[in-house]
């Protein structure tokens, strides 16, 4: 198995070596799931964006954490990638009868997750502990680590003013032009002890193919996170979420463009330059290999579109082999 990517890079005897995957929602969850198929549970930790989190109907909703949790638990809705498979919407229908605006689709089972999480948070338990307890109950083996325990909220700047993230993303179907992004509250946030210790024992950090601006961006914006990543002896590699100049879904391509980035795997490489030693790009982007190498990172060209579970596993194996090769070369 790929339990130790290289003996030389093994951090300390007795400390479990980890693969730490940075993930947002649907794109990140797919590769995290692939990794969970290749690794023993205690050798994988998924570090998840929480800047999408918000309150609705008095409940704390954590969309990316739940997407990762449902995906790893095997209960995610395969059509959408988010929400629970086979969920019903009776509670939301009732809320509509009460005259509530039900633009955010929360199924009945999904609502139970939000109810319990809110209940535990109000009891004073940190988000990291709540997520650990709930994901274990669903049978998720790998550690799921929120990027911080403090509340951070992505705010989207548009020509017509600022929008809360879910207002932009869900209610307005990510149509407004994004002219800027800020992460409200991030100055007060700190990497959690759980994630710092996972990074310390990590052999490899994998930036999943998540939106670089609003999924990976907030994780990197937590004060101390970049330093923790740079301090870690782990090799870091990313998988480009931009394939053939486009996002496979969602607004990442339009967002990169309106924020002045090149909409390609090269643009992604520039964003992660200095943080990753390697980038996995899709076979359809093979011609970008040389310009990306010129930025000072290794490039692996491979099929990166995950259509089914087998694709997720195959890409995860490719990523782990790449990490092992980079570790051996150091
Ligand atoms: P969200 O929080 O649900 O929006 O999801 P993420 O930020 O984790 O992922 C969104 C990104 O995932 C988009 O930019 C997609 O292009 C990318 N993505 C989704 N599926 C795949 C895939 O199978 N392969 C690759 N390379 N990227 C993907
Ligand atoms: Ca998200």
């Amino acid at each position: 198995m790929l339990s130790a990517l290289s003996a030389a890079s093994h951090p300390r005897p007795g400390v479990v070596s980890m693969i730490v995957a940075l993930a947002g929602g649907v794109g990140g969850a797919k590769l995290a799931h692939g990794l969970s198929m290749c690794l023993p549970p205690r050798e994988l930790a998924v570090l998840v964006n929480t800047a999408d989190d918000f309150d609705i109907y008095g409940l704390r909703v954590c969309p990316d954490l739940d997407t990762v949790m449902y995906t790893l638990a095997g209960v995610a809705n395969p059509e959408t990638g988010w929400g629970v498979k086979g969920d019903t919407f009776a509670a939301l229908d009732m809320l509509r009868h009460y005259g509530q605006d039900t633009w955010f689709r929360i199924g009945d089972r999904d609502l139970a997750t939000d109810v319990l999480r809110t209940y535990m948070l109000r009891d004073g338990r940190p988000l990291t502990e709540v997520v650990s307890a709930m994901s274990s109950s669903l049978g998720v083996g790998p550690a799921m680590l929120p990027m911080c325990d403090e509340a951070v909220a992505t705010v989207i700047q548009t020509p017509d003013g600022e929008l809360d993230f879910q207002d932009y993303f869900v209610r307005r179907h990510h149509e407004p032009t994004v002219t800027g992004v800020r992460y409200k509250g991030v100055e007060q946030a700190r990497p959690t002890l759980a994630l710092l210790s996972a990074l310390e024992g990590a052999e490899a950090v994998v930036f999943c193919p998540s939106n670089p601006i609003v999924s990976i961006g907030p994780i990197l914006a937590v004060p101390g996170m970049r330093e923790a990543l740079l301090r870690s002896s782990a090799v870091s590699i990313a998988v480009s979420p931009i394939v053939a100049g486009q996002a496979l879904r969602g607004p990442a391509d339009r967002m990169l463009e309106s924020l002045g980035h090149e909409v390609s795997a090269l643009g992604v490489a520039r964003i992660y330059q200095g943080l990753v030693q390697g980038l996995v790009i899709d076979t359809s982007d093979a011609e970008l290999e040389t310009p990306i190498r010129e930025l000072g990172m290794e490039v692996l060209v491979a099929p990166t579109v995950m259509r089914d579970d087998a694709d997720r596993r195959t890409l995860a194996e490719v990523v782990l082999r790449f990490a092992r090769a980079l570790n051996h070369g150091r």
Side-chain angles (χ1 to χ4, degrees), residues 195-243:
L195 82 81
L196 287 174
S197 114
L199 281 176
E200 205 186 318
E203 300 170 80
V205 175
V206 178
F207 290 49
C208 290
S210 289
N211 186 316
I213 309 293
V214 293
S215 289
I216 303 295
I219 299 178
L220 299 176
V222 174
M225 190 71 80
R226 278 174 184 270
E227 293 75 5
L229 285 166
L230 293 171
R231 208 168 45 235
S232 161
S233 60
V235 64
S236 291
I237 59 179
V239 178
S240 175
I242 301 294
V243 173

Side-chain angles (χ1 to χ4, degrees), residues 17 70 76 104 113 115 130 132 146 170 181 187 189 206 235 249 252 300:
S17 55
Y70 298 148
F104 194 79
T113 304
V115 168
V130 171
S132 168
V170 179
V181 170
E187 307 77 19
V206 178
V235 64
R249 56 185 281 165
L300 186 78

Side-chain angles (χ1 to χ4, degrees), residues 240 242 245 262-270 279 281-282 285 288 292:
S240 175
I242 301 294
E262 182 172 313
V263 189
S264 71
L266 177 59
V268 173
R270 289 196 182 116
L279 183 69
I281 64 172
D282 194 74
D285 293 318
L288 295 174
I292 296 173

